[in-house]
Amino acid sequence: MDAANYWAWIVDNFYAVMLIGGPIVFAIVLLWAMTHNRLSPRQKAQGDAATRRLYAEEGAEDKGDDGPSRGAGGE
């Protein structure tokens, strides 16, 4: 096998490996990321508590009197 044929063989086989192996590697990495990107019950509870606290703070701000700039007609 001469040098030109050798490099053509390398390129052709590299393309085949990437064409078949690329999606397989991508699927494995995607599945791994999906299984390892989950919140523990404690982290989920902390996030829910923070969301409820934020909503409560925003609700308290909305109940306050901010002057005539809020609401229709400034009444």
Side-chain angles (χ1 to χ4, degrees):
M1 183 181 299
D2 62 358
N5 287 338
Y6 176 75
W7 286 111
W9 183 84
I10 293 282
V11 169
D12 289 343
N13 286 324
F14 180 75
Y15 178 74
V17 168
M18 291 297 109
L19 187 64
I20 296 167
I24 293 170
V25 171
F26 178 73
I28 291 170
V29 170
L30 186 63
L31 288 172
W32 180 87
M34 289 173 60
T35 58
H36 285 81
N37 193 24
R38 303 203 185 248
L39 296 176
S40 70
R42 180 179 173 207
Q43 290 171 321
K44 183 163 175 39
Q46 287 175 341
D48 290 344
T51 301
R52 283 191 298 275
R53 186 175 59 245
L54 180 63
Y55 286 169
E57 289 173 3
E58 288 178 352
E61 289 175 3
D62 288 345
K63 289 180 183 177
D65 184 19
D66 291 339
S69 63
R70 296 199 83 182
E75 296 177 17

